[in-house]
Structures are given as C-alpha cells and as structure tokens.
Amino acid sequence: MPELPEVETIVRGLNSMVKGLTVQRLPHVSPHLLKREPQLRQLTGDTFKSFERRGKYIIAFLKSGRRLMIHLRMSGRILVGEDQRRRDKHDHLEIVFRARSRRLVFRDVRKFGVIQFVRDGQQETLNRLGAEAPAITASQLQALVCKSKRHVKSLLLDQYVIAGLGNIYVDESLYRSYIHPLRASSSLSAKEIRALARAIRQIMALAIKNLGTTFDSYSGVNGETGRFARYLKVYNQNGSRCGKCSDIIVKIKVGGRGTHFCPTCQKDDCRS
DNA sequence: ATTCTCACCTGTTAGC
DNA sequence: TGCTAACAGGTGAGAA
C-alpha cells in the first residue's frame, strides 16, 4: 500500500504526535509480530526520540540507543489517537504512552508488515537501498539503467536500485516521461533518462505535498487521507481517456504487477 | 550472476 | 443472487 510519499507523511505525523513519548505498556502484541521480533516487548519503558524515513522504511530512534524499523508493506497502517478506542480485529500492536493517555496502533489486514529492532542484518538491508527517489538525478539514473536489460518498470520498482517508488508512482513517472513500461532499461536514450529522472522528482514532490494517495484504506497517523489520487493520469485510469492524446489508457501485467499506460504517448516501437 | 515467479494473508470486486 | 477467481499500494526466497 504505502509508497514513499505515504511513508513520509506518516513519519512527519509520528514526529509531531509521538516524538518524546515514553511507552507505558503494550496492551496487545500479535504472535506473528513477536515471531519476527521476539524482543518487541522491550519497548516498554523506552522513549521515542525521533523518526526518520529511508525508502519505504520507518526508523524510530529510541532513548535506549536502539532503533526500531517498521515496514508497512501492502496494508500496514499506523494510527495515533486517544487511549480509549475499541480494538480492531486487524490491530497487531498497541502502544499506550505515559503522557496524555495517547495510544499508537499498528493495523495491518494482510499481515505482511514487519516491525523489528535494527540489527546487523537489517542495517545491511538499509545500506543496500538505492538513492532516494525524490532526489534522483539523471546521471545517477543513467548509471543504473544502462547496465540492465530488465523492463524499465521492474527496474524502477527495485528498492535496491531506487528507494521509495512503488506501483502507482512508477506508472505515473513513466507516463509523464513518455516511456513504455516494457522498454528494456538499457535502451533508454540520454534524453529519456533526463525526462524520467525529472518526472520522478516532480511526482514525488507533488505527492508528498498532497500527503500521498488514498484509494480506500491509507491515511496518515491522524486518519487524514492523501489527496494525490486527483492527480493520477494513468494508475487505475484504464478505460478512460489520456489527457494528452485522448487515446484510451490500458492496463497490462508487467512482472506480475498491474501496469497502466497510454499506448499512444508511451510507444513501444523501440523496446530493445 | 541476474532475473523471474510465486508465496506470504485477508478483503474486495469482477465475472460467470 | 451466489459462488469462484483474480486482484490489491510490497518484498524476499528460491527457481530458472
């Protein structure tokens, strides 16, 4: 579910609502989270100093010196509110803080989300992540793209190439730069690479400014929904008309992911 | 070595 | 209307 702009919105919300709070108790921790992180209950008594984002990861810095790493995957959400709401069947972690009876809930319908302390293995994963999508430059992208024959869509989804892009923003970036999703990465011209890098930066900036994209379930920590859906040109727009050429937006599968594009604006005639 | 496919889990929706 | 299959914002293990 959440891509970089959504995670960025959540991290900002955590820094405004949870920073400085001390964990009083954990009224609820699901077994599947404890299986991944048996020491999760050690959060009790610790204090959240600050939150940062790296790619789609949330990193919480704790007073004890440890760091907690959260990945929301497809359906994970973090909600912060008063400590008296009813527990949802998909709530897997509840944190009650000492001050102001504030409560944090980790909710995740599909249970793909991961919460664990940062150890060597997790640090290695963070180290290997690619450049941050909102800051990607044409020369960085050039170096990444030229070595691979993979479909450009699949390459852009690879977090170890560029960190933060997901299915929505890859489709939107390719549309904005007139590139067909099935193009071989190494076939992109210098001009196309410049356009793509610029599109990625612009779309990330606009999406962050609009608090991300909400279709149904995503929201920030206070429940506020993202407004970027109104700017979508191709994602989920199959069947409607392209805003540039009036052709019909189509949907295909690339690397197992639904992929939306304009067959006229994003020509596939030079795939290799 | 790089790249592709599938499983992970639950809910919703499209199609018969 | 009801059943079933396919699909969903992501990623990693194992196969090719």
Side-chain angles (χ1 to χ4, degrees), chain A residues 204-256:
Chain A
M204 287 290 102
L206 187 61
I208 289 169
K209 185 176 156 191
N210 284 278
L211 313 178
T213 306
T214 300
F215 295 120
D216 40 71
S217 69
Y218 165 79
S219 76
V221 297
N222 58 5
E224 189 175 18
T225 54
R227 301 185 300 257
F228 191 76
R230 69 178 67 155
Y231 297 101
L232 294 176
K233 306 294 188 195
V234 286
Y235 190 88
N236 240 13
Q237 308 302 306
N238 44 105
S240 32
R241 292 194 178 277
C242 171
K244 298 174 192 165
C245 75
S246 297
D247 196 1
I248 303 289
I249 302 301
V250 300
K251 180 176 181 181
I252 61 170
K253 271 240 192 295
V254 179

Side-chain angles (χ1 to χ4, degrees), chain A residues 94-139:
Chain A
E94 280 181 54
I95 300 177
V96 171
F97 298 103
R98 243 172 234 167
R100 296 189 281 177
S101 69
R102 188 162 283 182
R103 189 181 77 141
L104 180 152
V105 165
F106 172 68
R107 184 172 297 175
D108 186 8
V109 169
R110 295 175 71 179
K111 298 189 198 167
F112 293 165
V114 174
I115 302 179
Q116 35 186 191
F117 288 106
V118 178
R119 302 185 187 78
D120 290 351
Q122 291 71 244
Q123 184 62 54
E124 175 63 18
T125 299
L126 292 175
N127 292 345
R128 283 173 41 219
L129 290 174
E132 287 287 315
I136 192 77
T137 65
S139 56

